[in-house]
Amino acid sequence: MLDVVISGGDVLDGTGGPARHADVGIAGDRIVALGPPGMLVADGARVIDATGRVVCPGFINILSHSYFSVLTDPRSLGELTQGVTTQVFGEGTSMGPLTPAMQAELQASREPDEDYEVTWTRLGEYLRFVEKRGCAQNVASLIGAATLRVNVIGYADRPATPAEIDEMRALVAEEMADGALGIGSSLIYPPGAYADTAELTALCKVAARYDGLYASHVRNEGARLLAATDEFTGICRDAGIRGEHWHLKASGTANWHLMDEAIARLEAARAAGLEVTADVYPYTASSTGLTTIIPDRFHDGGREALYDRLRDPSVRAEIRRELAADARWGDVASAEGVLILQAVREENRRYQGLTLTQVAEKMGTEPIEAAMDLIASDRSRIGVAFFAMTEDNLRKALAQPWVAICSDGASMAPEGAFLQSPTHPRAYGSFARVLGHYVRDEQVLSLPEAIRRMSALPASTLGLSKRGQLKEGYFADVVVFDPGSVADLATFEQPHRLSAGVTEVLVNGQVAISGGAFAGALAGRALAGPGVRR
């Protein structure tokens, strides 16, 4: 007996092979049959007519930041309407393990209208909290290397002692046994930036025992990209662990030429037997905090310590001298390439949507002073976009068969509190943009290959069992879309716009999107890595 039959579509099964005209039969949460059109008995089953459309596995966002947005909008509408059925967290920070102080800090950071309590202390507990609360997509996470550091050391800028490394290693073993996917680092952000190669390798050796993954926002994506890439592959080699180079890029005009060599070094590592892969978001602007321009040593002690330093005239003058000598505008050419996206305080929201150059003009000062003033007055990271990459390099990355797709952003919805700030359009369009712009319009890669990069490839990289393919016995995470109309609609000028062309999405056999609209199912689950010992 079948519960759902998707009939008459062109099936791309996620392996990269050609489409075949077939019906897909689903019973419970599994795909149980694939056969020629009309051959599956649909008595009592819900029939989805996919004639003229593509049927494929649900997309896996290998780097998402929806830790909190999934609690605010359990539909994760901006991603779900693109066909994303699984979100993966853990770029440097994760939702566990938490000390009581870290737990209280998360609780205090909630927005006033958010109705959840931070009851979890372990990463696995957080994921199960999301599932129990209800979510439209599957969720999984790596353990944040910075979170481990804060748990044991705090925000201090110093090496870990052998005893502290042992304590972090014990936490890794506990979380890996409870379903974590591996270790995630983000080495441009303090306190994660304070970890040296030996510390990261020691943590990864534990994760490797559980067949885990090491995924990294490498230590530098500009002038020192090649050294950072070598550090990444060296950690993977020395720890004996699979690796994912998150959002592969070369930032800054002067550094664009480094992309060819970075790709070559990853290829050489693969040829030498390392299981290393990478991903991109399909845009030439990144998005992070304006605080990243301030040298790491001034972040010692945490965010509040940084904000206080910016109010100390002598320290501020020291920061200014360093920035004047080498203003780190995310490796963009000037402050004109820095777009302010998000401020916390109401009086600073007037700067949202302006470049840093325009903010400085309104403040009657110059960009370095404006940046420090804005961070100090808002006491937040100040969300920004850095226009620092080149289309040519993005296409080179997309040409590599080992490069998957990510959003590197939080899921959003064009409603409510989400509309208080602009956002990077990748939150609404990353996967649809690949299908529409880079496959259909620009033919940078084929449709079967693009589907593989969004499904089977990340499933294999992450070690997710029976996900990422349309295959009998696999979980029924399924997408139906129109290849002629699928498109990203979000822009920097109008960022809160849902993508078009995806008509149906099923998660664990339940219909989450029907006719392009949310259908009510919150069937997402907390997914575990290959080393789980529950």
Side-chain angles (χ1 to χ4, degrees), residues 107-390:
Q107 179 78 13
S109 70
R110 295 177 311 154
E111 296 296 328
D113 59 341
E114 292 176 334
D115 64 348
Y116 61 87
E117 299 291 324
V118 182
T119 58
W120 65 87
T121 59
R122 295 292 182 177
L123 178 55
E125 291 173 349
Y126 160 79
L127 294 171
R128 292 188 288 275
F129 176 86
V130 173
E131 177 182 321
K132 185 177 180 180
R133 185 179 169 91
C135 56
Q137 297 165 307
N138 303 309
V139 291
S141 184
L142 296 102
I143 313 160
T147 298
L148 291 167
R149 207 166 211 277
V150 174
N151 191 294
V152 174
I153 300 171
Y155 294 93
D157 180 4
R158 65 168 176 81
T161 67
E164 288 167 340
I165 290 177
D166 285 345
E167 192 173 345
M168 287 189 276
R169 284 166 54 87
L171 291 172
V172 172
E174 292 174 13
E175 293 287 11
M176 291 298 298
D178 197 32
L181 300 175
I183 301 294
S185 70
S186 190
L187 303 179
I188 72 164
Y189 303 109
Y194 303 149
D196 60 21
T197 304
E199 177 182 321
L200 295 166
T201 303
L203 301 181
C204 286
K205 285 181 177 179
V206 179
R209 298 205 302 260
Y210 297 83
D211 194 21
L213 173 74
Y214 174 55
S216 183
H217 177 152
V218 297
R219 205 174 292 273
N220 189 278
E221 296 172 326
R224 297 184 297 279
L225 170 64
L226 300 183
T229 300
D230 288 344
E231 180 189 34
F232 164 72
T233 55
I235 290 170
C236 294
R237 181 190 62 247
D238 294 344
I241 196 168
R242 293 176 287 114
E244 175 77 4
H245 189 304
W246 269 325
H247 45 64
L248 176 63
K249 66 172 81 74
S251 292
T253 306
N255 307 313
W256 287 349
H257 69 285
L258 298 176
M259 188 66 158
D260 288 337
E261 181 60 22
I263 290 172
R265 293 190 185 192
L266 290 169
E267 284 276 24
R270 289 170 56 82
L274 288 182
E275 294 183 66
V276 292
T277 48
D279 55 76
V280 295
Y281 46 82
Y283 299 87
T284 55
S286 63
S287 185
T288 184
L290 187 58
T291 50
T292 59
I293 70 170
I294 298 176
D296 292 346
R297 63 191 181 88
F298 295 105
H299 297 252
D300 182 18
R303 291 174 297 177
E304 296 302 318
L306 170 64
Y307 306 147
D308 290 342
R309 289 187 180 104
L310 287 170
R311 292 187 177 278
D312 181 319
S314 62
V315 179
R316 181 180 171 120
E318 187 179 356
I319 294 172
R320 193 195 190 291
R321 282 194 297 272
E322 292 200 24
L323 292 182
D326 181 24
R328 305 192 305 175
W329 307 125
D331 291 306
V332 303
S334 71
E336 186 62 30
V338 182
L339 181 68
I340 307 300
L341 296 178
Q342 187 176 39
V344 171
R345 296 178 185 259
E346 187 63 39
E347 63 268 25
N348 290 327
R349 287 181 177 162
R350 57 183 166 156
Y351 300 124
Q352 293 178 164
L354 301 181
T355 68
L356 186 57
T357 299
Q358 292 170 322
V359 172
E361 290 172 354
K362 285 186 174 293
M363 288 182 173
T365 186
E366 49 80 42
I368 290 176
E369 290 293 336
M372 292 192 293
D373 283 343
L374 192 53
I375 294 167
S377 67
D378 208 64
R379 296 189 75 85
S380 81
R381 66 198 296 264
I382 300 291
V384 297
F386 290 125
F387 291 81
M389 293 172 282
T390 173

